[in-house]
Amino acid sequence: MGAKHPVRTTEKTLAVVEELRQRGRCGVTELASNLDMGKSGVHNHLTTLQEHGYVLKRGDEYQLGLKFLEVGGYVRKSMEFYQVAEPEVKALADETGELANLLVEEQGMGVYLMRSKGEDAVDLDTYAGMRAYLHTTALGKAILAYLPESRVDEIVDRHGLERETPKSIGTREELSDALDDVRERGYAIDDGERLAGLRCLAAPVKASSGEVLGAISVSAPASRVSDEDLHGELPERVLSAANVVELNINY
Amino acid sequence: MGAKHPVRTTEKTLAVVEELRQRGRCGVTELASNLDMGKSGVHNHLTTLQEHGYVLKRGDEYQLGLKFLEVGGYVRKSMEFYQVAEPEVKALADETGELANLLVEEQGMGVYLMRSKGEDAVDLDTYAGMRAYLHTTALGKAILAYLPESRVDEIVDRHGLERETPKSIGTREELSDALDDVRERGYAIDDGERLAGLRCLAAPVKASSGEVLGAISVSAPASRVSDEDLHGELPERVLSAANVVELNINY
DNA sequence: ACTCGGCGTTCTCTAGACCAGAACGCTTAT
DNA sequence: ATAAGCGTTCTGGTCTAGAGAACGCCGAGT
């Protein structure tokens, strides 16, 4: 549902921010023409944002500043779940040598809170703050499997089930089956569903109330993860990390 | 200099964001009374921000969402300096076992791009995105020492030289002396200036043009850093990390 | 040297948005 | 029952946002 009385000026500001983010450094005219706004209006928004650190001027082009990271970093740091999970995810990365990730759900999307690279980790284009559809990653499936069914329906209604690759989930039935599997095993697997050749294993973190707080995963190239690993040592490690977080978060 | 034609509505939106950040989760009435705005106005801003993911509603209280981290994380990821320096800072943390940091200057302030904890690292309350006055940290001094003098004056004029502790820099003369020392040694030291008992050593990273891109540091408790360390092995390691970044960034 | 095109910026003016304040429905405390 | 206080909705008057035109500047083309 849209806001009843949206502040249109704020929406324009956010549109400027979004456009500036997509284009990276650029000028007033370029922004204005792509936003269907006059140059003066765009200019006013930019200087206002600049005044508050959200936008920088370099020469006579504009770009987004690090204020967003300041606010976002503060929000993340304030999350108890992040504080508790961060060292465990790092430890998991060091221990396995692979890429370990931490994801939470927000407004029906997955948000990566952090990623930690082990010694041999693949270099994916994920980054802290990045969003992903929940049904397309092991992390997301681990979360969906432990959300109330009504919530899952809401999320699917809102964001759909677009396939990212031919192997990924694309229908409600496939999703339902996949979530059953996750609940049976206690962890989620992504075998090339998001990126060919990439295997990923994720475990949910639940509060004592049963509510899902997020999920922890390890991503590695298929060449280094045998089928036995995928159902043997690797899940043990990821589940153990998730379990430690669960214990620490409930004091 | 303030914006010539500020967008007042945007400024109100940003004020709402800032207030919400400081208070954490809270209600419309509380925000409105502290912002000198009517409840309806605050409500309109909040629902608009919510619509775009910048704000979340939990029950009938509001809080900041992870959209800020998404935008900020994207901005950070897009910085070449971060991409190149990130693995080196991580390596430095692993190697020393202490806390390693990466800082850049923006609008006269220092912004932490990341921190990486080694095995024995102290747990400071810094976080990615956090700002600090440049004159109060070794990282900041390492940057100031290699900025043009006119730029340093500008920054001091704008942000002053407030002392954070009795040991820290508080006058232009002290700053000037400190920056001379940095240039002589090639690295900056903070011996309890920011936090009693904490020693910190930082090296600048410069582009081939001579421009300072940022600085890399290691922070450790004084009990683990002898005076010899402070002028022996530790600077070597930090300087070496900075040097690797310099080499990699100039292709 | 001069012009021209295009940039970021400034100015003016009015159509239209913002939002204080009042009113509403709801929950909780008394 | 009642009241107090919350988030939300609604409306009208005030003030602002921003299109469009004009400006100063710079670099390219002639």
Side-chain angles (χ1 to χ4, degrees):
Chain A
M1 173 202 81
K4 265 287 179 291
H5 298 285
V7 182
R8 283 179 240 282
T9 305
T10 299
E11 293 190 318
K12 285 186 188 169
T13 301
L14 298 179
V16 169
V17 167
E18 182 57 29
E19 193 70 26
L20 198 49
R21 167 180 158 184
Q22 281 173 18
R23 294 183 178 272
R25 194 184 306 187
C26 75
V28 174
T29 306
E30 185 180 346
L31 286 173
S33 64
N34 284 85
L35 286 166
D36 264 316
M37 291 175 62
K39 288 197 293 174
S40 66
V42 172
H43 183 261
N44 292 158
H45 283 270
L46 288 171
T47 51
T48 304
L49 287 165
Q50 186 191 3
E51 200 68 14
H52 291 82
Y54 290 93
V55 158
L56 306 177
K57 189 158 65 154
R58 281 266 183 82
D60 48 25
E61 292 193 312
Y62 291 88
Q63 64 183 104
L64 293 184
L66 289 169
K67 182 82 180 192
F68 288 98
L69 187 66
E70 183 185 3
V71 178
Y74 184 81
V75 169
R76 178 174 70 169
K77 174 189 101 96
S78 306
M79 296 172 68
E80 190 194 3
F81 176 63
Y82 172 72
Q83 281 172 24
V84 172
E86 193 262 346
E88 300 308 325
V89 174
K90 182 168 167 24
L92 187 61
D94 288 344
E95 203 179 291
T96 60
E98 303 289 354
L99 183 69
N101 300 285
L102 185 65
L103 190 101
V104 293
E105 177 265 334
E106 193 174 286
Q107 303 191 323
M109 297 283 290
V111 181
Y112 288 91
L113 280 187
M114 66 173 291
R115 42 169 245 176
S116 183
K117 290 172 70 171
E119 195 130 18
D120 312 312
V122 293
D123 202 353
L124 298 182
D125 64 347
T126 54
Y127 56 92
M130 198 182 82
R131 275 160 203 250
Y133 289 109
L134 290 169
H135 68 278
T136 62
T137 66
L139 285 157
K141 287 190 283 183
I143 290 177
L144 287 172
Y146 296 92
L147 285 178
E149 206 178 328
S150 60
R151 191 75 214 293
V152 175
D153 289 339
E154 258 177 55
I155 291 172
V156 173
D157 287 346
R158 177 162 172 190
H159 296 290
L161 287 176
E162 208 178 329
R163 283 186 214 270
E164 298 224 320
T165 72
K167 287 186 76 173
S168 66
I169 290 169
T171 67
R172 283 174 194 256
E173 201 166 38
E174 284 167 16
L175 180 64
S176 177
D177 290 349
L179 298 189
D180 284 342
D181 288 351
V182 173
R183 280 184 288 261
E184 202 170 302
R185 280 196 304 262
Y187 57 88
I189 285 174
D190 168 358
D191 187 2
E193 288 166 47
R194 192 166 73 100
L195 199 65
L198 186 75
R199 285 182 159 179
C200 193
L201 196 151
V205 178
K206 288 172 286 182
S208 53
S209 64
E211 184 199 7
V212 201
L213 300 171
I216 292 176
S217 79
V218 168
S219 300
S223 58
R224 279 205 295 267
V225 182
S226 67
D227 288 355
E228 302 94 74
D229 287 342
L230 207 59
H231 298 279
E233 200 186 359
L234 198 53
E236 261 173 50
R237 287 186 163 166
V238 179
L239 284 167
S240 157
N243 195 237
V244 171
V245 176
E246 286 177 350
L247 292 172
N248 286 337
I249 215 157
N250 299 320
Y251 303 134
Chain B
M1 173 203 79
K4 265 287 182 287
H5 298 285
V7 182
R8 284 181 238 282
T9 306
T10 299
E11 293 189 317
K12 284 185 190 170
T13 301
L14 297 179
V16 170
V17 167
E18 182 57 28
E19 193 69 26
L20 198 48
R21 168 180 157 186
Q22 281 174 19
R23 294 181 179 273
R25 191 185 308 184
C26 75
V28 174
T29 306
E30 185 180 347
L31 286 173
S33 64
N34 284 86
L35 286 166
D36 263 316
M37 291 176 62
K39 289 197 294 175
S40 67
V42 172
H43 183 259
N44 293 159
H45 283 268
L46 287 171
T47 51
T48 304
L49 286 166
Q50 185 191 3
E51 201 67 15
H52 292 81
Y54 290 93
V55 158
L56 306 176
K57 188 156 65 153
R58 278 264 184 82
D60 48 25
E61 292 193 311
Y62 291 88
Q63 64 183 101
L64 294 184
L66 289 170
K67 183 82 179 192
F68 288 97
L69 188 65
E70 183 184 2
V71 177
Y74 184 81
V75 169
R76 179 175 70 170
K77 175 189 100 100
S78 305
M79 296 172 68
E80 191 195 2
F81 176 63
Y82 173 71
Q83 282 171 22
V84 172
E86 192 262 346
E88 300 308 324
V89 174
K90 182 169 167 26
L92 186 61
D94 287 345
E95 205 179 289
T96 60
E98 303 290 353
L99 183 69
N101 300 285
L102 185 66
L103 189 102
V104 293
E105 178 266 332
E106 193 174 285
Q107 303 191 324
M109 296 283 291
V111 181
Y112 288 90
L113 280 186
M114 67 173 290
R115 42 167 244 177
S116 183
K117 289 171 73 173
E119 194 130 21
D120 311 312
V122 293
D123 201 354
L124 298 182
D125 63 347
T126 54
Y127 55 93
M130 198 182 82
R131 274 159 203 250
Y133 290 110
L134 291 169
H135 67 279
T136 62
T137 67
L139 285 156
K141 287 190 283 183
I143 290 177
L144 287 172
Y146 296 92
L147 284 177
E149 206 178 328
S150 59
R151 191 75 214 295
V152 174
D153 288 339
E154 259 176 55
I155 291 173
V156 173
D157 287 345
R158 178 160 170 193
H159 296 290
L161 287 175
E162 208 178 330
R163 284 184 213 273
E164 298 225 320
T165 72
K167 286 187 76 173
S168 66
I169 289 170
T171 67
R172 281 174 196 259
E173 202 167 36
E174 284 168 16
L175 180 64
S176 178
D177 290 349
L179 299 188
D180 285 342
D181 287 350
V182 173
R183 281 183 288 261
E184 202 170 301
R185 280 198 302 264
Y187 57 88
I189 285 174
D190 169 358
D191 187 2
E193 288 167 47
R194 193 166 71 100
L195 199 66
L198 186 75
R199 286 182 158 179
C200 192
L201 196 152
V205 178
K206 288 172 286 184
S208 52
S209 64
E211 185 198 7
V212 202
L213 301 171
I216 293 176
S217 78
V218 167
S219 301
S223 57
R224 280 206 295 267
V225 183
S226 66
D227 289 354
E228 302 92 72
D229 288 342
L230 207 58
H231 299 278
E233 201 187 358
L234 199 53
E236 262 173 50
R237 286 187 162 165
V238 179
L239 284 166
S240 156
N243 195 238
V244 171
V245 176
E246 285 176 350
L247 291 171
N248 286 338
I249 215 156
N250 300 321
Y251 302 135

